[in-house]
Amino acid sequence: AKNLGRGRIVTFDSALEQRRRDDMMMEQYLRKTLETEGIEVFYQPLVRTIDQTICGVEALARWSSSPLGRVPPDVFIPIAEKAGLIDMLGLQVLRKAIQATTAWPDVGVCVNVSPVQLQDNGFAHEVEAILTEAGIDPGRLTLEITEGVLISHPEQALKAITALKGLGVGVALDDFGTGFASIGMLRRFAFDRVKVDKSLVAALDTEQDAAAVLQATIALARAMGISVTVEGVETELQAGAASLYGCDVMQGYLYSKPMSEAEMMERYFTKWKS
Ligand code: C2E
Ligand code: CA
Ligand code: CA
Ligand code: CA
């Protein structure tokens, strides 16, 4: 029994060790990619519920490196956060997304912001510098924030959000409906939009009360005058429900997957380009 116990501990230890080595290797590759401005940005259309025309895009970071291949953001974003690389990554995505937007007609662009970035006092200044350099109307940019930082660092988050709103930038609460974000928080932080998490939409297919939950979530935000985007819309049935319950904007594979800047241009904006 003693031997077995020790064996288990050794196995557990080495699995942890292996994991740490993998993370360190990924961190090194990620650092290299960032230094060469090699993070790519894909764009997913946001469509107006009323007429299904495109009103904006969400910018989503993409990373592939030759030894590792394509690494999903759910994997590399947490690594960047732990390694102190997320500020650099986030600004690189923002810069590229703003640059792309300058070449497009009057659509908005949504960019994800890590909670770690919001804790940096200089963040709003960096955003301002990027907007000024591109000469773009700040109102075209919306920054998407998840609720974690509102709970863990409310004062810091309020300061950052107030500064961003002062620039004329929009602020959205991302992944709404999955955690503890309350009515009080929607008010206090004065969000311009909420993005209803895709799990609430996916639940329509499997859970009995899902329709009522989605309806109430949308109604709550709308009652506070906040624009509602529903994400993860994959089927006509889901789109029908979201639209019936009054969401303003929809996003999901039903309309389009995220795509490269070139593809975005070709599929949506060629007619506009003169
Ligand atoms: P998110 O901000 O909630 O982004 C939406 C995710 O849902 C994206 O995954 C998108 O590709 C995916 N999606 C869109 N439509 C559908 C659909 O109809 N069905 C399903 N099942 N999924 C759909 P992606 O691109 O893999 O990104 C995952 C997460 O990584 C993002 O979730 C966001 O939290 C994070 N992320 C991505 N880019 C950045 C970035 O530049 N900065 C930061 N801080 N986080 C980012
Ligand atoms: Ca998002
Ligand atoms: Ca989301
Ligand atoms: Ca998310």
Side-chain angles (χ1 to χ4, degrees):
K2 211 173 163 189
N3 272 345
L4 194 70
R6 198 175 290 152
R8 270 189 195 141
I9 288 168
V10 168
T11 310
F12 178 67
D13 254 16
S14 61
L16 260 183
E17 265 308 305
Q18 182 60 44
R19 173 104 192 266
R20 194 147 55 213
R21 270 198 301 273
D22 287 352
D23 279 10
M24 271 172 59
M25 186 188 63
M26 226 184 258
E27 184 185 320
Q28 276 164 17
Y29 285 126
L30 186 58
R31 200 180 292 274
K32 259 193 222 148
T33 304
L34 285 167
E35 279 162 4
T36 55
E37 304 263 316
I39 291 290
E40 281 184 276
V41 184
F42 271 35
Y43 301 90
Q44 186 177 32
L46 308 176
V47 305
R48 288 184 194 89
T49 305
I50 37 161
D51 57 6
Q52 315 224 325
T53 56
I54 183 170
C55 58
V57 298
E58 178 173 1
L60 295 157
R62 293 291 180 263
W63 178 38
S64 44
S65 73
S66 45
L68 298 172
R70 218 169 234 306
V71 182
D74 287 330
V75 174
F76 72 78
I77 296 287
I79 288 177
E81 287 174 339
K82 270 185 234 135
L85 297 172
I86 193 67
D87 291 319
M88 194 176 172
L89 189 154
L91 290 176
Q92 198 167 118
V93 170
L94 181 63
R95 225 176 282 118
K96 289 188 178 188
I98 291 294
Q99 201 49 53
T101 306
T102 57
W104 295 340
D106 196 31
V107 296
V109 62
C110 300
V111 178
N112 294 286
V113 174
S114 158
V116 179
Q117 291 177 272
L118 272 197
Q119 288 168 51
D120 175 352
N121 280 319
F123 181 64
H125 285 295
E126 309 258 28
V127 173
E128 185 176 24
I130 290 171
L131 290 169
T132 307
E133 195 193 333
I136 197 173
D137 170 11
R140 288 178 71 183
L141 174 65
T142 298
L143 295 174
E144 300 190 357
I145 295 165
T146 46
E147 67 185 13
V149 67
L150 310 180
I151 293 163
S152 65
H153 298 82
E155 297 308 325
Q156 186 63 33
L158 186 61
K159 237 169 74 184
I161 289 171
T162 306
L164 290 167
K165 294 194 64 131
L167 299 176
V169 169
V171 181
L173 179 59
D174 203 355
D175 301 346
F176 186 57
T178 52
F180 302 98
S182 63
I183 299 176
M185 282 163 67
L186 286 180
R187 265 202 214 297
R188 178 154 186 245
F189 295 96
F191 286 103
D192 304 286
R193 309 183 185 193
V194 298
K195 298 192 74 174
V196 175
D197 193 71
K198 51 182 175 285
S199 61
L200 268 72
V201 176
L204 287 173
D205 301 341
T206 54
E207 279 158 53
Q208 265 230 308
D209 57 2
V213 171
L214 181 65
Q215 181 171 23
T217 306
I218 294 171
L220 172 70
R222 291 208 62 182
M224 300 177 71
I226 302 172
S227 167
V228 180
T229 300
V230 168
E231 27 173 60
V233 177
E234 296 180 353
T235 67
E236 293 288 356
L237 216 75
Q238 294 169 346
S243 126
L244 178 68
Y245 302 147
C247 87
D248 302 281
V249 176
M250 295 193 279
Q251 175 181 4
Y253 297 160
L254 177 63
Y255 305 102
S256 175
K257 293 208 166 175
M259 65 188 91
S260 70
E261 181 182 347
E263 206 181 339
M264 194 73 211
M265 193 70 183
E266 190 183 309
R267 288 199 26 200
Y268 290 90
F269 303 132
T270 35
K271 278 196 223 98
W272 173 80
K273 197 183 178 187
S274 53

